[in-house]
Amino acid sequence: LLLLLALGTLALGLVAHRLLAPAGNPFARPPAGPPRPLVTDPRVRDKVLKRGFSARRVPPELDAVVIGSGMGGLAAAGTLAKAGKRVLVLEQHDQAGGCCHTFHERGCEFDVGLHYVGQMHEGSMLRVALDQLTDGQLCWQRLPDPYDEVSLGPRRYQLRAGKVAFVTALEEQFPAEKVAIREFMKLSKMASRHVALLAVLKLVPRWLAALLLRTGLLHWISPVFRLAATSHSEAVARLTDDRDLRALLCYVFYGSAPRDSSFLVNVLMVHHYQRGAWYPRGGASEIAFHAVPLIERAGGAVLVRAPVTRILVSPAGTAVG
């Protein structure tokens, strides 16, 4: 088992070395040029974000088709485009961007999904990735501190930016729960460092992953796998009996109720905002507005009002249309 892990690590290292060599890595250099002035003309923005589907707009000799222009779809298409691939993105809505799109009502602009984003400080992995996928055209404005406030009945709790300030503020508001808070932050730090192992589990052969799961060896490699399989409600209940603190530690959960969601996902969300929160100047639609041209420069296209009803598959099981 150790030999297999060593060989896997060596193989990943060789792949990483090849990809990170400046000559062969399209992500090796930062985007050229500073952010340009905001484009506020709706007609100009619509030409990028609301380009409707028609057969003549489908590029020839496509390398890939991405269904959906949400952040995941745009990131996948943008990454392929940076690698020189010609990609078509199909979106059933009338505007690209998914939860990053905006709309106007009575002269005001509204977001449909994005409220704020964490880990957008200079040099962070997320900031570098989004800069690459948007040509560095996004200006991230940091929210004032405290960046959020949670109301639980008549009580209000503030969340402050900064790894030390975040913990200090929690301890000041819950002085009897310092041990629980510090243990939670310890788990958060461990989760952020070990979460990449989940990706490694996807890379190893399926038989090896199944063996690690069935024998329980997975939990000896890292406790992050146990966190992933534990519900948030169960894990937090072990830490504290304070109902307000329990609620505060899971208020940023997404998707399902804490009892049905992974503790790992929720603890990573708390870690995500420890440094504070940022918002893109010009609104959430700026993300899609600058991601689409990058895809188009590689010969691809992002077309809306294009619902996909089926995928044509060859006898060999590959998508052909």
Side-chain angles (χ1 to χ4, degrees):
L1 178 61
L2 290 175
L3 178 61
L4 286 172
L5 290 174
L7 290 174
T9 303
L10 177 61
L12 287 173
L14 293 173
V15 172
H17 176 74
R18 184 181 181 90
L19 289 175
L20 294 176
N25 179 15
F27 300 92
R29 297 177 181 82
R36 297 180 290 274
L38 282 175
V39 176
T40 57
D41 187 336
R43 293 170 297 181
V44 176
R45 298 183 67 84
D46 287 352
K47 288 180 180 179
V48 176
L49 298 173
K50 296 185 177 183
R51 194 171 185 225
F53 175 86
S54 69
R56 63 182 177 81
R57 288 177 174 172
V58 175
E61 300 179 5
L62 290 169
D63 295 300
V65 176
V66 173
I67 303 171
S69 68
M71 197 59 243
L74 290 177
T79 303
L80 289 168
K82 290 276 288 188
K85 302 299 182 181
R86 187 173 296 181
V87 186
L88 172 65
V89 181
L90 298 175
E91 169 59 53
Q92 67 176 344
H93 195 45
D94 65 356
Q95 180 174 334
C99 283
C100 290
H101 89 241
T102 57
F103 67 94
H104 289 82
E105 186 73 27
R106 299 182 182 179
C108 296
E109 185 177 74
F110 295 88
D111 288 319
V112 301
L114 186 70
H115 51 294
Y116 51 54
V117 181
Q119 294 182 320
M120 278 298 160
H121 51 284
E122 288 286 344
S124 73
M125 183 173 65
L126 190 56
R127 176 69 177 271
V128 170
L130 273 174
D131 282 350
Q132 287 283 342
L133 295 174
T134 58
D135 280 339
Q137 293 303 304
L138 297 180
C139 291
W140 292 95
Q141 306 294 327
R142 187 166 186 166
L143 273 62
D145 196 35
Y147 66 89
D148 210 345
E149 186 174 82
V150 180
S151 296
L152 298 172
R155 297 171 298 279
R156 293 189 175 186
Y157 301 102
Q158 293 182 337
L159 299 178
R160 293 194 171 274
K163 291 185 176 181
V164 175
F166 182 86
V167 178
T168 301
L170 282 180
E171 291 180 349
E172 289 174 351
Q173 295 169 98
F174 296 92
E177 299 294 331
K178 290 184 178 181
V179 174
I181 292 169
R182 290 172 185 175
E183 179 62 21
F184 181 87
M185 300 313 298
K186 179 181 176 182
L187 291 172
S188 173
K189 187 175 183 178
M190 182 276 293
S192 68
R193 290 181 172 180
H194 290 207
V195 68
L197 291 174
L198 293 177
V200 174
L201 187 64
K202 294 284 189 179
L203 296 175
V204 301
R206 188 172 181 177
W207 66 264
L208 177 58
L211 177 66
L212 292 172
L213 283 166
R214 290 170 184 169
T215 59
L217 289 173
L218 204 59
H219 301 310
W220 287 90
I221 297 174
S222 170
V224 75
F225 296 105
R226 194 177 298 279
L227 296 185
T230 304
S231 78
H232 189 82
S233 294
E234 180 185 349
V236 174
R238 295 173 187 168
L239 295 175
T240 178
D241 293 325
D242 190 298
R243 295 174 65 87
D244 279 10
L245 181 57
R246 287 186 188 181
L248 193 65
L249 293 178
C250 69
Y251 95 103
V252 292
F253 76 91
Y254 289 91
S256 56
R259 67 177 178 274
D260 300 321
S261 59
S262 166
F263 178 65
L264 176 64
V265 173
N266 288 278
V267 81
L268 286 173
M269 291 303 301
V270 173
H271 176 80
H272 178 71
Y273 291 112
Q274 277 186 38
R275 292 178 181 264
W278 285 257
Y279 186 80
R281 185 190 66 168
S285 61
E286 282 291 291
I287 299 174
F289 183 68
H290 292 295
V292 171
L294 182 144
I295 297 167
E296 292 176 340
R297 283 204 306 272
V302 178
L303 304 178
V304 302
R305 298 189 296 281
V308 176
T309 57
R310 60 179 177 157
I311 300 171
L312 305 182
V313 181
S314 71
T318 59
V320 294

